[in-house]
Amino acid sequence: MHKLFHLTHSPIECYFHPSVRDFVVREIPLYEASGAGEHLMIFVRKKELSTFEMVEILSNVLGIKSAQIGYAGLKDKHATTYQYLSIPRTFESRLSACSTILNERGIKVLECRAHTNKLRVGHLKGNSFFMRLKKLTPIEAQKAINALEILKVSGFANYFGSQRFGKDGQNYQEGEKILENLRITRDKKIARFLLSAYQSHLFNLWLLERMRLNKMIESCSPKELVSSAGGYGVLDSVLCDERVVRELKAQEQFFKLLRGDVAVHYPYGKAFVLDDVRAESTRFIQRQISPSGALCGKKLLGAQDVALEIERVFVDSRLREVGSRRYAWVWAQDVAYTYKPEVAQMELSFSLPKGSYATIFLETLKNAHH
């Protein structure tokens, strides 16, 4: 899918290939293990394994049902990743007896502690990342450093990364086929996974339209925009009203808030519908709130007013999964980098809130439009 980014520099040429040496992901837990309880919280390091593959190996080696293994998030396959899992505590001695076998399969258990509950998806604060960028000339490196300094302050558009959509990028189409009864999937886990890929695809399409709106507001005068209304597709309803366009133009931040947008307290908290856009724009700049897009489904808190005109195009009412909101805009923290001109490489580290993709941060940095 084509994406739009907010930075304006020419594309940065460099090479990044996810591998165990050049890509390291470390989960930031939501809470520490309690030290007591019927579950065991395990901190593991895995290499060249998806989370699903790791769960399957643990299930086979320990003789435990995969449904009894808890995890907080899905981690990249082509990387060295550190993440938390939970298993019933009754398997503690079996786990220590099998450490060599697990090691051989790419899973190293680093620590175990008793805990009161099973880990659930989403029980994490975020992730920290290390990336090694290669074939980066000194000129391109300087462009990257300038862009990173801007990104530290500005934040970036929170697209779903291509990993979300499978090897060929078509998972969302399979999800849509399930809704149209063109595909029957007996495995509920796979069906849910494909449907959530479709939810993610709709979110990305919505975010692309909002980024298109932001770009136009930044680069054109209200008069120019209003006089061309009728050719903007989804955005026509917003851009035909000069008063709305002037309100948007007055906002200082790149991602413009619309009346009726659903914002969420940042980095976690409750969702609410925006009313006073000017006041909320200040809170957005201060990183207290962020606008959100729909992961459509039942019980969704939907946008209202002007924001609804755009959102409704990307809401599929056939989705019966529970709907939720996803930040449209996020900020990287702890951004640090070292450039090594003798090998034309940059070592880059940063952390992101849960559900945000390091690959999207990198695509934003490179500003390569595909």
Side-chain angles (χ1 to χ4, degrees):
M1 179 193 122
H2 169 75
K3 297 186 192 79
L4 277 178
F5 305 108
H6 70 295
L7 299 178
T8 53
H9 60 268
S10 58
I12 291 170
E13 297 291 328
C14 69
Y15 176 77
F16 170 68
H17 183 68
S19 68
V20 292
R21 187 172 169 275
D22 296 334
F23 192 28
V24 181
V25 186
R26 188 179 287 265
E27 204 166 79
I28 304 165
L30 191 57
Y31 43 72
E32 296 295 315
S34 62
E38 296 170 16
H39 297 266
L40 200 60
M41 205 193 286
I42 320 164
F43 188 47
V44 299
R45 183 192 71 203
K46 67 175 181 62
K47 294 182 175 183
E48 288 293 344
L49 292 171
S50 70
T51 300
F52 291 143
E53 287 167 342
M54 172 176 64
V55 165
E56 196 175 333
I57 291 168
L58 282 165
S59 166
N60 293 335
V61 171
L62 301 178
I64 179 175
K65 284 184 180 153
S66 58
Q68 291 178 283
I69 302 171
Y71 52 85
L74 301 176
K75 294 286 167 285
D76 304 73
K77 175 170 180 164
H78 303 297
T80 297
T81 69
Y82 295 83
Q83 78 179 104
Y84 291 85
L85 300 168
S86 70
I87 60 170
R89 200 168 167 186
T90 45
F91 289 89
E92 190 165 3
S93 54
R94 180 97 180 112
L95 182 69
S96 52
C98 295
S99 63
T100 312
I101 302 165
L102 291 172
N103 243 331
E104 287 164 0
R105 305 287 296 274
I107 304 166
K108 185 173 178 59
V109 177
L110 300 172
E111 56 185 64
C112 304
R113 284 191 70 202
H115 189 56
T116 36
N117 59 281
K118 179 183 174 183
L119 259 186
R120 302 272 174 205
V121 171
H123 281 201
L124 71 160
K125 256 189 195 154
N127 297 287
S128 64
F129 300 92
F130 167 86
M131 296 176 133
R132 187 176 281 108
L133 311 182
K134 298 179 175 178
K135 299 182 183 174
L136 190 64
T137 65
I139 289 173
E140 298 294 287
Q142 191 52 56
K143 267 166 64 179
I145 289 166
N146 296 345
L148 283 165
E149 289 303 322
I150 294 169
L151 280 171
K152 278 183 188 180
V153 179
S154 71
F156 64 101
N158 193 29
Y159 294 102
F160 281 97
S162 56
Q163 315 83 302
R164 194 80 186 81
F165 304 108
K167 271 201 191 92
D168 53 3
Q170 305 304 309
N171 279 357
Y172 74 90
Q173 292 180 341
E174 296 303 310
E176 195 173 6
K177 282 179 188 167
I178 291 172
L179 288 180
E180 290 165 355
N181 294 321
L182 297 175
R183 171 175 175 156
I184 308 296
T185 307
R186 303 231 179 280
D187 188 326
K188 279 191 179 148
K189 207 172 185 179
I190 288 174
R192 264 203 307 273
F193 185 67
L194 295 173
L195 285 168
S196 74
Y198 178 56
Q199 274 179 323
S200 308
H201 172 67
L202 292 173
F203 173 90
N204 271 9
L205 291 177
W206 167 84
L207 184 52
L208 179 61
E209 283 302 322
R210 289 295 295 262
M211 289 298 283
R212 198 160 74 89
L213 174 67
N214 299 329
K215 286 262 185 198
M216 289 159 77
I217 296 290
E218 288 272 308
S219 57
C220 305
S221 73
K223 279 207 158 35
E224 284 173 322
L225 289 169
V226 173
S227 65
S228 302
Y232 299 130
V234 175
L235 303 179
D236 265 334
S237 54
V238 177
L239 294 172
C240 66
D241 185 334
E242 191 167 340
R243 188 177 56 84
V244 172
V245 172
R246 287 191 186 283
E247 273 179 16
L248 296 177
K249 197 91 176 157
Q251 294 180 35
E252 290 172 37
Q253 77 286 353
F254 175 81
F255 194 103
K256 309 302 180 194
L257 303 177
L258 294 173
R259 267 200 322 278
D261 259 333
V262 178
V264 183
H265 290 276
Y266 190 88
Y268 29 79
K270 284 200 161 65
F272 62 99
V273 177
L274 284 185
D275 181 29
D276 183 346
V277 169
R278 186 173 293 181
E280 300 301 359
S281 154
T282 306
R283 291 214 295 161
F284 180 24
I285 292 168
Q286 292 168 347
R287 307 185 191 188
Q288 294 173 14
I289 64 164
S290 178
S292 70
L295 293 175
C296 52
K298 60 185 183 188
K299 297 183 183 170
L300 174 74
L301 173 59
Q304 295 174 16
D305 210 321
V306 185
L308 177 60
E309 297 301 319
I310 300 174
E311 180 167 289
R312 62 158 51 110
V313 181
F314 305 102
V315 169
D316 190 329
S317 57
R318 296 171 301 177
L319 272 161
R320 302 315 301 150
E321 305 295 296
V322 175
S324 62
R325 307 295 308 186
R326 173 182 172 83
Y327 290 117
W329 199 259
V330 292
W331 291 267
Q333 289 194 288
D334 313 314
V335 177
Y337 47 83
T338 309
Y339 180 57
K340 299 181 172 175
E342 66 282 5
V343 284
Q345 292 181 5
M346 179 181 277
E347 293 180 351
L348 173 61
S349 60
F350 53 94
S351 59
L352 295 176
K354 67 177 183 184
S356 298
Y357 288 76
T359 48
I360 294 295
F361 181 75
L362 179 60
E363 282 179 43
T364 307
L365 170 64
K366 288 170 71 176
N367 203 24
H369 302 280
H370 23 228

